[in-house]
Amino acid sequence: MYDLAIIGGGPAGVAAGVYAARKRLKTIFIAEVIGGQSTDSPGIENWIGTKKISGLELARSLEKHLRAYASDVLELKIGERATKLEKSGGYFVIQTPKGSYEARAVLIATGGSRRKLTVPGADAFENKGLTYCASCDGPLFAGQDVVVVGGGNAGFESAAQLLAYCKSITLIHRNDNFDRADAATVEAVLAHPNMRVLKNVEPVEVKGDAFVSSIMVKNKTTGEVSEVPTAGIFVEIGMLPATGFTTGVVELDEFNRIKVDAKNQHTSMSGVWAAGDCTDELYHQNNIAAGDAVKALEDIYFWLKAAK
């Protein structure tokens, strides 16, 4: 029986693992890989403590830090994926294809994946001008004209970041309204002179040579196809949280993200916390995920001590 099971190997999971080990909590750490979504990024410039680091370097750094604390209290199960979480009396059971583990408390930090743009050229130009992380890759496009695909909160938040250094931003939205974005954010972003919007259109092709040069869009009403020249395409069309194994244990929102209390990251189930991109946290970034996990660990520690 473990004090704690940490599920997930991104910045949130690793931060929690380090803190759990320092607090001498007997912990099982379950993750397919170490690193999270940012491993695909060629350059990350907002990870605090480093001016710039590649996604692969960040993953190696996270794993090195975690393994430095892997001792008698922190057991690593790298290469395993949680397939089911169950409540059994006063503890939890985590199933993986290789076995099952019991713990008094659980921290879920399984993240998710970006919904990919599935049009011709999108795969070919990924990391060659097409990206899924404005906070990671935005500075690479300073002084250039770029496109944001997606008119929800994530799309407008990315546009707001990009306005700080890009020459212009064109936001492509498939609907006529922005009912899935915060009204105040929409108003502030659209008021910027370097911002324009194409509504009721959808991408149909990404074009370029060595790097992206344009995106083709189709008007959903008229069927007209037009070309939008751009140096970069930032895709924000939704997240696919890795929460399927939690069904029936914790409360999920309409997008299958785990609902948490922002004060302590606690879920609807006593004894279960969650942090990072698998939650309904408003902002999704590496530093925020790590901070939320540390916040959760502080709460978990006191919860476990009080329960003894």
Side-chain angles (χ1 to χ4, degrees):
M1 174 70 67
Y2 295 91
D3 292 323
L4 173 65
I6 297 172
I7 309 173
V14 171
V18 170
Y19 268 69
R22 288 174 61 86
K23 291 180 180 296
R24 306 297 295 171
L25 297 177
K26 186 180 179 184
T27 302
I28 182 79
F29 185 99
I30 304 167
E32 286 189 272
V33 295
I34 300 295
Q37 294 179 63
S38 293
T39 53
D40 293 330
S41 180
I44 300 166
E45 299 184 6
N46 63 341
W47 179 246
I48 301 304
T50 60
K51 184 177 180 180
K52 185 175 182 180
I53 187 170
S54 73
L56 291 176
E57 287 176 317
L58 175 61
R60 286 194 289 265
S61 175
L62 290 172
E63 184 165 1
K64 182 179 180 181
H65 196 175
L66 183 66
R67 289 190 180 279
Y69 283 93
S71 60
D72 57 315
V73 294
L74 179 63
E75 184 176 346
L76 304 183
K77 295 292 182 180
I78 310 300
E80 293 194 38
R81 176 177 57 89
T83 56
K84 191 172 183 61
L85 174 64
E86 296 178 294
K87 179 76 183 292
S88 179
Y91 60 93
F92 297 91
V93 179
I94 303 94
Q95 301 281 352
T96 81
K98 296 183 179 180
S100 64
Y101 308 97
E102 299 175 351
R104 296 168 57 210
V106 176
L107 173 62
I108 303 167
T110 45
S113 58
R114 301 278 183 174
R115 192 182 298 276
K116 295 297 184 80
L117 186 63
T118 56
V119 301
D123 283 347
F125 288 103
E126 187 169 335
N127 293 323
K128 297 177 181 177
L130 187 147
T131 177
Y132 293 87
C133 185
S135 61
C136 302
D137 302 326
L140 302 174
F141 297 85
Q144 301 184 67
D145 301 305
V146 301
V147 162
V148 172
V149 179
N153 267 331
F156 275 93
E157 288 161 10
S158 290
Q161 293 181 54
L162 295 168
L163 283 168
Y165 27 76
C166 292
K167 182 180 178 182
S168 74
I169 291 90
T170 299
L171 187 140
I172 294 171
H173 186 43
R174 62 182 301 169
N175 297 325
D176 282 322
N177 56 60
F178 303 113
D179 55 358
R180 288 199 170 184
D182 177 72
T185 303
V186 172
E187 182 179 0
V189 170
L190 294 186
H192 198 286
N194 296 340
M195 186 76 199
R196 74 165 180 147
V197 172
L198 297 179
K199 294 192 288 187
N200 202 38
V201 299
E202 56 188 7
V204 292
E205 185 181 2
V206 177
K207 302 179 73 173
D209 188 8
F211 293 92
V212 164
S213 63
S214 67
I215 183 168
M216 306 297 293
V217 297
K218 180 180 179 180
N219 186 291
K220 293 173 64 179
T221 301
T222 66
E224 179 185 1
V225 176
S226 58
E227 186 171 15
V228 182
T230 181
I233 300 170
F234 295 83
V235 182
E236 293 289 356
I237 54 176
M239 285 281 299
L240 298 172
T243 57
F245 71 99
T246 69
T247 302
V249 178
V250 296
E251 186 179 356
L252 306 177
D253 70 4
E254 59 184 308
F255 304 110
N256 290 323
R257 301 173 302 189
I258 300 172
K259 290 186 175 183
V260 295
D261 183 337
K263 295 193 302 295
N264 53 22
Q265 302 302 122
H266 204 276
T267 71
S268 60
M269 170 63 72
S270 178
V272 180
W273 289 255
D277 289 0
C278 64
T279 75
D280 61 352
E281 159 71 57
L282 182 59
Y283 303 107
H284 292 159
Q285 293 187 27
N286 286 335
N287 292 301
I288 294 172
D292 282 350
V294 171
K295 184 200 309 179
L297 232 295
E298 296 291 346
D299 201 57
I300 290 168
Y301 179 78
F302 288 112
W303 185 87
L304 284 169
K305 295 306 177 184
K308 281 188 175 180

